[in-house]
Amino acid sequence: MAGRRAADATADPAADPTADPAVGPTAPATAGGAVRPDLERVFRTSYPRVVGVAARVLGSRDAADDVAQEVFLAFARSAVPTAEAPGWLSVAAAHTALNALRGERRRTRREQPDPAAVQTAPDAADVVVVAEDRRRVREAVARLPRTQAVVLVLRHSGLSYAEVAAACGLSPGSVGTTLRRAENALREELDR
């Protein structure tokens, strides 16, 4: 453990998209770029969950696949013990997806589309309303405090309270409280 912390201290957090105090920075697991021996097994068992968590945040399977690729690359470089991989990957997926969402929001602000160029078919009005509602929810989630956003995303991605607690380093009893606060904060953000 002390070796892992020492290795973590030398990791470049700017190069690690999953670096977050809740997840912890990754550290090189192997010298010389060798592949972790458990990578394929962990990938096969955890990929659907990682994509599910990311898709819940981003609302897009394609974007979720991109996030999953980034998360598994970070995992491949990490020294995360195999037993901790499912929780670590879930939290990393939530953080990476939230980062992608925030980056997309910034990019969208910079590249404001010409309103005259946006065309919607009249029969697609319902689709537009639904898409707008989803966009508002995703943006509101992105404005929540990080722990609340992650707990909310993981719980609504199907993880149990115990799994969320293990993934986020929380006590199982505090997950419900954090989740309620996150839901209340989300309602307030949506009512703005």
Side-chain angles (χ1 to χ4, degrees):
M1 189 65 163
R4 181 173 172 213
R5 285 192 182 127
D8 288 347
T10 61
D12 178 10
D16 181 2
T18 62
D20 185 275
V23 177
T26 57
T30 58
V35 176
R36 291 175 62 127
D38 62 345
L39 181 60
E40 183 175 345
R41 184 170 47 87
V42 170
F43 179 83
R44 289 184 186 278
T45 59
S46 299
Y47 187 80
R49 176 179 277 184
V50 169
V51 170
V53 168
R56 185 154 310 267
V57 173
L58 298 170
S60 162
R61 172 64 194 238
D62 290 339
D65 284 333
D66 292 344
V67 165
Q69 180 179 358
E70 196 172 327
V71 167
F72 278 101
L73 285 172
F75 177 74
R77 294 187 307 261
S78 77
V80 174
T82 303
E84 296 175 15
W88 188 92
L89 289 166
S90 295
V91 172
H95 285 290
T96 304
L98 286 167
N99 288 341
L101 184 61
R102 289 175 179 142
E104 180 182 316
R105 195 174 58 216
R106 285 190 297 269
R107 190 172 36 260
T108 300
R109 275 192 225 125
R110 282 193 312 264
E111 302 169 357
Q112 287 290 326
D114 179 8
V118 176
Q119 297 178 357
T120 56
D123 60 338
D126 290 341
V127 173
V128 171
V129 169
V130 169
E132 176 64 18
D133 287 346
R134 288 180 178 166
R135 183 194 58 78
R136 285 186 58 235
V137 170
R138 285 194 298 272
E139 289 180 359
V141 168
R143 289 190 299 266
L144 295 179
R146 184 66 98 168
T147 301
Q148 289 182 5
V150 171
V151 168
L152 188 67
V153 168
L154 293 180
R155 180 64 182 139
H156 288 278
S157 294
L159 273 69
S160 69
Y161 276 42
E163 290 171 323
V164 172
C168 296
L170 299 172
S171 68
S174 68
V175 171
T177 302
T178 303
L179 182 61
R180 278 191 301 281
R181 287 181 182 155
E183 290 169 343
N184 289 337
L186 181 61
R187 276 189 214 96
E188 290 175 13
E189 287 289 336
L190 291 172
D191 289 341
R192 285 186 179 191

XYZ file of all heavy atoms in Angstrom, residues 53-120:
508
model
N -22.791 3.325 -16.740
C -22.616 4.516 -15.893
C -22.361 5.738 -16.776
O -22.983 6.790 -16.591
C -21.457 4.303 -14.887
C -21.072 5.607 -14.212
C -21.842 3.257 -13.848
N -21.464 5.610 -17.732
C -21.136 6.748 -18.599
C -22.338 7.160 -19.452
O -22.595 8.351 -19.643
C -19.940 6.402 -19.480
N -23.095 6.185 -19.944
C -24.255 6.503 -20.777
C -25.328 7.230 -19.971
O -26.027 8.099 -20.489
C -24.826 5.225 -21.391
N -25.444 6.874 -18.688
C -26.443 7.549 -17.856
C -26.087 9.031 -17.725
O -26.954 9.888 -17.701
C -26.519 6.895 -16.488
C -27.617 7.481 -15.658
C -28.132 6.533 -14.618
N -28.475 5.221 -15.087
C -29.696 4.839 -15.488
N -30.657 5.708 -15.502
N -29.917 3.607 -15.847
N -24.812 9.350 -17.640
C -24.386 10.746 -17.518
C -24.490 11.456 -18.864
O -24.998 12.573 -18.945
C -22.937 10.829 -17.001
C -22.429 12.261 -17.027
C -22.847 10.263 -15.585
N -24.035 10.800 -19.910
C -23.884 11.476 -21.195
C -25.100 11.351 -22.107
O -25.268 12.148 -23.019
C -22.649 10.923 -21.921
C -21.333 11.148 -21.177
C -20.211 10.363 -21.832
C -20.998 12.634 -21.131
N -25.912 10.333 -21.885
C -27.086 10.148 -22.722
C -26.758 9.685 -24.129
O -27.573 9.849 -25.030
N -25.589 9.124 -24.306
C -25.170 8.674 -25.638
C -24.307 7.434 -25.507
O -23.304 7.441 -24.785
C -24.363 9.781 -26.322
O -23.601 9.260 -27.394
N -24.690 6.387 -26.208
C -23.913 5.146 -26.167
C -22.539 5.350 -26.805
O -21.536 4.850 -26.304
C -24.685 4.034 -26.891
C -23.930 2.752 -27.093
C -23.573 2.085 -25.782
N -22.580 1.058 -25.989
C -22.750 -0.213 -25.665
N -23.850 -0.605 -25.093
N -21.796 -1.083 -25.899
N -22.475 6.092 -27.896
C -21.182 6.324 -28.554
C -20.232 7.082 -27.637
O -19.057 6.718 -27.514
C -21.373 7.104 -29.863
C -22.043 6.268 -30.939
O -22.002 5.027 -30.834
O -22.602 6.860 -31.868
N -20.733 8.126 -26.989
C -19.885 8.894 -26.067
C -19.491 8.029 -24.876
O -18.364 8.124 -24.369
C -20.601 10.155 -25.603
N -20.404 7.155 -24.434
C -20.105 6.265 -23.315
C -19.010 5.270 -23.683
O -18.153 4.939 -22.854
C -21.370 5.538 -22.869
N -19.023 4.793 -24.923
C -17.954 3.890 -25.373
C -16.597 4.609 -25.346
O -15.588 4.012 -24.977
C -18.250 3.378 -26.787
C -19.318 2.295 -26.812
O -19.477 1.589 -25.797
O -19.978 2.161 -27.846
N -16.592 5.879 -25.741
C -15.339 6.657 -25.690
C -14.843 6.793 -24.253
O -13.650 6.662 -23.982
C -15.542 8.042 -26.310
C -15.773 7.987 -27.808
O -15.477 6.942 -28.420
O -16.260 9.004 -28.354
N -15.774 7.068 -23.345
C -15.406 7.193 -21.934
C -14.880 5.855 -21.409
O -13.872 5.814 -20.702
C -16.611 7.681 -21.092
C -16.375 7.465 -19.604
C -16.880 9.149 -21.384
N -15.549 4.772 -21.768
C -15.112 3.453 -21.307
C -13.694 3.160 -21.782
O -12.872 2.620 -21.032
C -16.073 2.370 -21.801
N -13.401 3.535 -23.009
C -12.054 3.319 -23.535
C -11.036 4.099 -22.696
O -9.990 3.558 -22.319
C -11.983 3.765 -24.989
C -10.619 3.579 -25.601
C -10.596 4.017 -27.058
O -11.584 4.421 -27.627
N -9.436 3.938 -27.649
N -11.367 5.329 -22.382
C -10.466 6.163 -21.583
C -10.284 5.572 -20.182
O -9.173 5.533 -19.641
C -11.069 7.573 -21.499
C -10.128 8.634 -21.064
C -10.759 10.022 -21.209
O -11.561 10.243 -22.136
O -10.444 10.849 -20.366
N -11.372 5.094 -19.599
C -11.322 4.537 -18.247
C -10.481 3.259 -18.220
O -9.650 3.076 -17.321
C -12.758 4.277 -17.724
C -12.744 3.422 -16.466
C -13.464 5.601 -17.466
N -10.666 2.399 -19.201
C -9.895 1.154 -19.195
C -8.424 1.396 -19.504
O -7.561 0.673 -19.012
C -10.512 0.121 -20.149
C -11.659 -0.606 -19.515
C -12.962 -0.268 -19.812
C -11.436 -1.601 -18.567
C -14.023 -0.909 -19.209
C -12.485 -2.255 -17.954
C -13.789 -1.908 -18.276
N -8.125 2.422 -20.294
C -6.718 2.773 -20.504
C -6.094 3.230 -19.185
O -4.964 2.855 -18.859
C -6.591 3.867 -21.566
C -6.792 3.410 -23.009
C -6.831 4.611 -23.941
C -5.703 2.444 -23.426
N -6.840 4.036 -18.428
C -6.337 4.485 -17.118
C -6.171 3.291 -16.177
O -5.189 3.201 -15.438
C -7.280 5.530 -16.523
N -7.148 2.388 -16.221
C -7.057 1.193 -15.377
C -5.842 0.352 -15.750
O -5.136 -0.157 -14.884
C -8.330 0.353 -15.491
C -8.264 -0.923 -14.710
C -8.368 -0.914 -13.328
C -8.074 -2.139 -15.348
C -8.280 -2.090 -12.601
C -7.982 -3.311 -14.633
C -8.087 -3.291 -13.248
N -5.594 0.224 -17.049
C -4.449 -0.580 -17.511
C -3.135 -0.020 -16.997
O -2.187 -0.762 -16.766
C -4.439 -0.650 -19.042
N -3.074 1.299 -16.809
C -1.849 1.936 -16.309
C -1.794 1.980 -14.790
O -0.800 2.405 -14.221
C -1.754 3.366 -16.844
C -1.573 3.465 -18.338
C -1.322 4.899 -18.770
N -2.326 5.827 -18.297
C -3.355 6.286 -19.027
N -3.482 5.921 -20.269
N -4.216 7.125 -18.514
N -2.870 1.589 -14.148
C -2.970 1.752 -12.699
C -2.443 0.538 -11.935
O -2.175 -0.510 -12.522
C -4.428 1.976 -12.302
O -5.135 0.751 -12.340
N -2.336 0.749 -10.644
C -1.962 -0.335 -9.735
C -3.156 -0.714 -8.864
O -2.987 -1.254 -7.771
C -0.789 0.098 -8.877
N -4.347 -0.445 -9.354
C -5.557 -0.761 -8.596
C -5.656 -2.273 -8.446
O -5.596 -2.992 -9.445
C -6.806 -0.214 -9.318
C -8.073 -0.653 -8.617
C -6.736 1.291 -9.446
N -5.814 -2.765 -7.221
C -5.969 -4.210 -7.040
C -7.206 -4.739 -7.778
O -8.223 -4.045 -7.860
C -6.126 -4.372 -5.521
C -5.544 -3.125 -4.943
C -5.783 -2.045 -5.950
N -7.117 -5.935 -8.289
C -8.207 -6.523 -9.062
C -9.517 -6.543 -8.271
O -10.577 -6.268 -8.822
C -7.835 -7.964 -9.481
O -6.615 -7.900 -10.211
C -8.915 -8.573 -10.342
N -9.432 -6.824 -6.987
C -10.643 -6.889 -6.172
C -11.338 -5.537 -6.080
O -12.549 -5.461 -5.894
C -10.304 -7.393 -4.770
N -10.609 -4.453 -6.229
C -11.196 -3.112 -6.139
C -11.594 -2.565 -7.504
O -12.129 -1.469 -7.602
C -10.201 -2.156 -5.476
C -9.870 -2.514 -4.047
C -8.791 -1.607 -3.457
O -8.512 -0.539 -4.039
O -8.234 -1.996 -2.426
N -11.315 -3.316 -8.560
C -11.533 -2.817 -9.921
C -12.983 -2.420 -10.211
O -13.208 -1.338 -10.759
C -11.049 -3.843 -10.941
N -13.996 -3.226 -9.864
C -15.364 -2.823 -10.226
C -15.767 -1.470 -9.641
O -16.324 -0.631 -10.348
C -16.229 -3.959 -9.652
C -15.316 -5.134 -9.636
C -13.960 -4.581 -9.288
N -15.493 -1.264 -8.386
C -15.824 0.027 -7.781
C -15.015 1.157 -8.375
O -15.547 2.232 -8.680
N -13.720 0.925 -8.531
C -12.838 1.956 -9.092
C -13.291 2.327 -10.496
O -13.374 3.510 -10.847
C -11.401 1.432 -9.122
C -10.391 2.461 -9.505
C -9.686 3.264 -8.680
C -9.972 2.798 -10.846
N -8.861 4.081 -9.403
C -9.013 3.816 -10.737
C -10.309 2.331 -12.103
C -8.400 4.376 -11.846
C -9.700 2.896 -13.218
C -8.751 3.901 -13.069
N -13.608 1.329 -11.304
C -14.028 1.593 -12.675
C -15.350 2.356 -12.726
O -15.519 3.253 -13.558
C -14.150 0.276 -13.442
C -12.823 -0.406 -13.767
C -13.067 -1.845 -14.206
C -12.056 0.355 -14.836
N -16.287 2.028 -11.824
C -17.577 2.729 -11.809
C -17.386 4.199 -11.470
O -17.956 5.084 -12.114
C -18.527 2.076 -10.803
O -18.844 0.771 -11.207
N -16.585 4.454 -10.438
C -16.340 5.847 -10.047
C -15.564 6.572 -11.149
O -15.877 7.719 -11.496
C -15.594 5.910 -8.697
C -15.167 7.334 -8.379
C -16.485 5.370 -7.596
N -14.571 5.910 -11.723
C -13.801 6.539 -12.799
C -14.702 6.842 -13.991
O -14.559 7.893 -14.632
C -12.648 5.625 -13.221
N -15.641 5.943 -14.294
C -16.568 6.192 -15.402
C -17.428 7.416 -15.120
O -17.637 8.258 -16.002
C -17.446 4.966 -15.641
N -17.926 7.522 -13.885
C -18.754 8.683 -13.534
C -17.945 9.972 -13.630
O -18.398 10.970 -14.205
C -19.331 8.511 -12.130
N -16.740 9.969 -13.077
C -15.908 11.181 -13.121
C -15.527 11.541 -14.552
O -15.596 12.708 -14.948
C -14.637 10.990 -12.289
C -14.873 11.067 -10.825
N -15.204 12.235 -10.188
C -14.842 10.129 -9.867
C -15.365 12.002 -8.904
N -15.157 10.720 -8.682
N -15.116 10.561 -15.316
C -14.696 10.829 -16.692
C -15.878 11.323 -17.525
O -15.741 12.251 -18.328
C -14.072 9.571 -17.314
O -12.998 9.140 -16.462
C -13.526 9.839 -18.697
N -17.046 10.734 -17.307
C -18.235 11.178 -18.041
C -18.623 12.598 -17.632
O -18.987 13.420 -18.478
C -19.390 10.205 -17.804
N -18.557 12.890 -16.332
C -18.864 14.255 -15.887
C -17.862 15.248 -16.476
O -18.234 16.348 -16.893
C -18.866 14.334 -14.361
C -20.079 13.699 -13.679
C -19.830 13.536 -12.185
C -21.328 14.531 -13.933
N -16.597 14.863 -16.524
C -15.594 15.730 -17.149
C -15.911 15.947 -18.628
O -15.791 17.058 -19.136
C -14.191 15.145 -16.990
C -13.680 15.246 -15.576
O -14.189 16.033 -14.783
N -12.682 14.441 -15.246
N -16.301 14.888 -19.307
C -16.646 15.007 -20.728
C -17.862 15.907 -20.908
O -17.910 16.735 -21.822
C -16.913 13.621 -21.318
N -18.833 15.754 -20.012
C -20.040 16.578 -20.089
C -19.700 18.048 -19.878
O -20.169 18.920 -20.605
C -21.042 16.104 -19.034
C -22.403 16.771 -19.016
C -23.130 16.549 -20.334
C -23.225 16.220 -17.867
N -18.871 18.315 -18.900
C -18.471 19.705 -18.646
C -17.671 20.262 -19.816
O -17.833 21.413 -20.200
C -17.681 19.782 -17.342
C -18.572 19.554 -16.146
C -17.809 19.508 -14.859
N -18.756 19.313 -13.768
C -18.540 18.558 -12.715
N -17.395 17.936 -12.571
N -19.457 18.449 -11.783
N -16.794 19.447 -20.381
C -16.027 19.888 -21.544
C -16.941 20.178 -22.731
O -16.754 21.157 -23.446
N -17.941 19.327 -22.915
C -18.892 19.534 -24.007
C -19.679 20.815 -23.807
O -19.918 21.564 -24.752
C -19.845 18.343 -24.071
C -20.876 18.450 -25.181
C -21.828 17.274 -25.172
O -21.355 16.144 -25.022
O -23.027 17.501 -25.316
N -20.058 21.087 -22.556
C -20.804 22.315 -22.258
C -19.959 23.550 -22.581
O -20.443 24.501 -23.172
C -21.245 22.305 -20.797
C -22.307 23.344 -20.499
C -22.831 23.242 -19.101
N -21.760 23.390 -18.142
C -21.675 22.738 -17.002
N -22.597 21.879 -16.678
N -20.689 22.943 -16.175
N -18.675 23.502 -22.190
C -17.784 24.635 -22.489
C -17.620 24.798 -24.000
O -17.657 25.906 -24.516
C -16.424 24.428 -21.829
C -16.423 24.668 -20.330
C -15.004 24.697 -19.784
N -14.318 23.431 -19.966
C -14.310 22.429 -19.084
N -14.946 22.556 -17.941
N -13.662 21.319 -19.331
N -17.459 23.679 -24.682
C -17.277 23.718 -26.135
C -18.539 24.267 -26.806
O -18.458 25.084 -27.724
C -16.960 22.311 -26.637
C -16.517 22.236 -28.060
C -16.032 20.857 -28.472
N -16.727 19.727 -27.887
C -16.290 18.999 -26.854
N -15.141 19.273 -26.290
N -16.990 17.988 -26.386
N -19.697 23.868 -26.302
C -20.957 24.343 -26.870
C -21.099 25.849 -26.697
O -21.544 26.543 -27.603
C -22.138 23.613 -26.202
O -21.992 22.217 -26.430
C -23.463 24.086 -26.753
N -20.705 26.347 -25.524
C -20.784 27.804 -25.301
C -19.888 28.548 -26.275
O -20.249 29.609 -26.757
C -20.377 28.133 -23.871
C -21.516 28.002 -22.902
C -21.139 28.618 -21.562
N -21.551 27.708 -20.531
C -20.792 27.199 -19.588
N -19.538 27.548 -19.485
N -21.265 26.371 -18.709
N -18.698 27.980 -26.526
C -17.764 28.644 -27.449
C -18.287 28.626 -28.882
O -18.069 29.528 -29.650
C -16.400 27.957 -27.416
C -15.546 28.309 -26.240
C -14.114 27.833 -26.457
N -14.004 26.466 -26.918
C -13.788 25.407 -26.126
N -13.647 25.560 -24.833
N -13.698 24.197 -26.630
N -18.961 27.555 -29.210
C -19.386 27.367 -30.598
C -20.906 27.527 -30.712
O -21.575 26.679 -31.287
C -18.972 25.983 -31.071
C -17.494 25.737 -30.979
C -17.137 24.283 -31.199
O -18.056 23.454 -31.378
O -15.941 23.980 -31.178
N -21.429 28.603 -30.142
C -22.869 28.829 -30.191
C -23.358 28.702 -31.632
O -22.860 29.399 -32.517
C -23.197 30.227 -29.662
C -23.059 30.367 -28.176
C -24.133 29.609 -27.430
O -25.270 29.509 -27.885
N -23.777 29.058 -26.285
N -24.295 27.812 -31.849
C -24.788 27.654 -33.221
C -25.646 28.853 -33.635
O -26.252 29.516 -32.801
C -25.633 26.383 -33.145
C -26.069 26.307 -31.727
C -24.951 26.919 -30.918
N -25.651 29.089 -34.901
C -26.493 30.136 -35.465
C -27.940 29.666 -35.349
O -28.307 28.639 -35.926
C -26.103 30.353 -36.922
C -26.959 31.403 -37.586
O -27.755 32.070 -36.880
O -26.823 31.559 -38.810
N -28.789 30.396 -34.593
C -30.176 29.944 -34.416
C -30.901 29.776 -35.739
O -31.766 28.924 -35.866
C -30.818 31.056 -33.585
C -29.689 31.760 -32.940
C -28.509 31.604 -33.840
N -30.547 30.555 -36.735
C -31.197 30.423 -38.034
C -30.814 29.126 -38.727
O -31.551 28.620 -39.560
C -30.831 31.612 -38.921
N -29.656 28.579 -38.349
C -29.187 27.355 -38.984
C -29.820 26.106 -38.374
O -29.798 25.046 -38.979
C -27.674 27.250 -38.890
N -30.366 26.238 -37.170
C -30.971 25.092 -36.504
C -32.360 24.866 -37.081
O -33.208 25.747 -37.040
C -31.053 25.318 -34.973
C -31.768 24.162 -34.310
C -29.672 25.515 -34.407
N -32.587 23.702 -37.638
C -33.886 23.390 -38.218
C -34.433 22.143 -37.545
O -33.714 21.168 -37.367
C -33.750 23.122 -39.704
C -33.253 24.328 -40.464
C -33.091 24.009 -41.941
O -33.302 22.888 -42.376
N -32.721 25.011 -42.700
N -35.677 22.220 -37.164
C -36.329 21.049 -36.597
C -37.620 20.830 -37.358
O -38.333 21.765 -37.681
C -36.653 21.231 -35.106
O -37.446 22.402 -34.953
C -35.387 21.360 -34.280
